[in-house]
Amino acid sequence: MKVTKLFTGFFESEKAGGIVLIIATAVSLFLANSAWSVSYIDFWNQPMGSHSLTHWINDGLMAIFFLLIGLELEREIYIGELADLKTASLPIFGALGGMIVPAALFILFNLGTQNMSGAGIPMATDIAFAVGILSLLGNRVPTSLKIFLTALAVIDDLGAIIIIAVFYTKEIAFLNLFIALGIWAVLFVMGKMFKVRNLIPYLIGGVAMWYFMLHSGVHATITGVLLAFAIPFGEGGERSTSHLLQHFLHKPVAFLILPLFALANTAIVIDADWSSSLTHSSSLGIIAGLVAGKPLGILLFAFIGCSLGICSLPDDLNWKNVLSVGFLGGIGFTMSIFITLLAFDDVTIIDHSKIAILLASLVAGVIGFMALRLTLKK
């Protein structure tokens, strides 16, 4: 099976990034519950201009993370695992099930409550954590399974991006939105029609687009994805503008941006009765969605796709492998926390949801790792 160098680099950076994320989360939880708790939490909440430091990380730096996701998605669509419909259909079906079933379970626990807006929380997969755990199994993991999980997580991210744009936009300032989209249209024409390869005008235009998108009511991180599809892809070779930028962004995103996001957003004070928060309807929906909904949805929809003859299971995989890696899909973390911040305004519910996400991601990750150890050939 052909595996591009960029995919290998992406997989390796995500693997190491997952380890860094684990360390950052552990450090943040420790400091938030230590003698330095107040100072640590105040540090992330300190005002910087019109927003807090955490807000700048979530709305600003995370736009760069979404830019990388967009570039990776573009590569997968043009020359990667999503370029061939037959090959792409298995992770597409799996990802659909991994979004629909968890959301349905969350809604089931929260039907008729004000927490319904959190249905998008258990739909996401944290690619860095998932790939990081998969890499612990070393050479036992077939390439087809690595590609399945990576493609599934990328499609999940696309689903999360669409959900953020459609369901978590409250009020739209249409003038600012039209200016942002106008800038994007100019950049798109520059890249597709005039073949401008210099990155500088795209980066300047991207900053301007981000500013107007920030003030439009649509979440500013969507700018990153739009900008990715405006940057020239060409044939996707190592000298293409898209390839060069994606290669450059891997390490800053994996080792700076995502750890900062984890540090800022897991500064959670865990009370003595923290376990009681797990009985809250939103917490139950998140845990059920990530731990049960993700693997069941991925397995069920992938099986339906194969039964209909639309997709096929690679020769070196079996359904036990798909179910096992489906549990790794239940590691929500980054995207789940990100959507939590958009879904809820109540700080208490946000903190309860974060605890549920951390616990569910831990449980899903451990089950997935143990299941893969049992089902993969030695």
Side-chain angles (χ1 to χ4, degrees):
M1 180 179 289
K2 181 182 177 183
V3 182
T4 64
K5 291 182 180 178
L6 200 57
F7 170 80
T8 304
F10 181 78
F11 189 88
E12 292 298 321
S13 70
E14 292 296 333
K15 176 175 69 175
I19 297 170
V20 174
L21 270 180
I22 292 172
I23 295 171
T25 303
V27 169
S28 184
L29 287 171
F30 170 76
L31 291 175
N33 293 275
S34 68
W36 305 287
S37 175
V38 175
S39 299
Y40 180 68
I41 294 172
D42 286 346
F43 171 77
W44 294 113
N45 291 326
Q46 65 179 300
M48 294 184 66
S50 57
H51 299 292
S52 67
L53 177 58
T54 298
H55 196 169
W56 282 115
I57 292 171
N58 294 345
D59 281 12
L61 290 182
M62 286 299 283
I64 301 174
F65 164 73
F66 278 90
L67 171 59
L68 177 61
I69 292 296
L71 292 169
E72 172 62 15
L73 180 64
E74 183 183 42
R75 185 196 71 81
E76 292 290 341
I77 291 172
Y78 287 147
I79 62 172
E81 304 312 316
L82 303 181
D84 177 64
L85 187 59
K86 187 72 175 178
T87 306
S89 55
L90 185 65
I92 288 174
F93 267 79
L96 285 173
M99 290 186 281
I100 293 171
V101 176
L105 282 176
F106 184 93
I107 291 171
L108 186 64
F109 278 94
N110 292 273
L111 196 63
T113 72
Q114 294 181 338
N115 302 322
M116 289 276 287
S117 58
I121 297 171
M123 296 173 69
T125 296
D126 189 297
I127 189 170
F129 268 131
V131 167
I133 291 177
L134 189 65
S135 69
L136 296 176
L137 295 158
N139 294 329
R140 292 176 61 185
V141 183
T143 301
S144 58
L145 193 61
K146 294 179 183 178
I147 290 173
F148 174 75
L149 176 61
T150 306
L152 183 144
V154 169
I155 297 166
D156 254 7
D157 285 336
L158 174 62
I161 290 163
I162 294 172
I163 289 164
I164 290 169
V166 175
F167 295 105
Y168 295 110
T169 297
K170 296 175 181 177
E171 294 182 6
I172 298 179
F174 285 101
L175 178 60
N176 288 328
L177 178 61
F178 290 150
I179 293 174
L181 293 177
I183 294 171
W184 176 78
V186 171
L187 296 177
F188 186 85
V189 170
M190 282 173 49
K192 303 302 179 185
M193 295 182 63
F194 295 101
K195 312 295 182 184
V196 177
R197 294 188 58 196
N198 192 313
L199 260 176
I200 293 176
Y202 296 101
L203 297 180
I204 294 173
V207 171
M209 182 165 59
W210 174 86
Y211 174 82
F212 286 105
M213 193 70 77
L214 180 68
H215 293 87
S216 71
V218 178
H219 203 271
T221 51
I222 301 298
T223 303
V225 181
L226 292 175
L227 181 61
F229 281 87
I231 292 171
F233 184 81
E235 296 181 357
E238 293 185 4
R239 299 185 64 184
S240 74
T241 308
S242 177
H243 182 286
L244 291 172
L245 181 59
Q246 185 180 348
H247 182 74
F248 173 79
L249 287 177
H250 276 167
K251 288 182 173 57
V253 167
F255 301 116
L256 177 63
I257 293 174
L258 289 182
L260 278 174
F261 177 85
L263 288 168
N265 291 285
T266 57
I268 309 166
V269 176
I270 301 177
D271 299 323
D273 62 341
W274 66 271
S275 58
S276 64
S277 69
L278 300 179
T279 61
H280 192 275
S281 62
S282 64
S283 299
L284 290 172
I286 291 168
I287 294 170
L290 289 175
V291 177
K294 269 289 183 180
L296 290 177
I298 290 169
L299 176 66
L300 178 63
F301 275 58
F303 182 78
I304 291 172
C306 289
S307 298
L308 295 174
I310 299 173
C311 48
S312 59
L313 192 67
D315 295 335
D316 54 352
L317 297 184
N318 57 49
W319 290 114
K320 291 179 181 178
N321 300 148
V322 175
L323 177 62
S324 301
V325 88
F327 278 103
L328 297 189
I331 305 173
F333 198 72
T334 305
M335 289 302 294
S336 292
I337 290 176
F338 191 84
I339 294 175
T340 297
L341 300 173
L342 301 177
F344 302 129
D345 295 320
D346 190 313
V347 175
T348 302
I349 295 178
I350 289 174
D351 284 346
H352 288 173
S353 298
K354 287 180 180 180
I355 292 172
I357 291 166
L358 292 175
L359 181 62
S361 296
L362 175 63
V363 172
V366 170
I367 294 175
F369 176 76
M370 297 304 295
L372 284 167
R373 282 195 66 183
L374 293 172
T375 60
L376 290 176
K377 296 177 182 178
K378 294 184 180 179

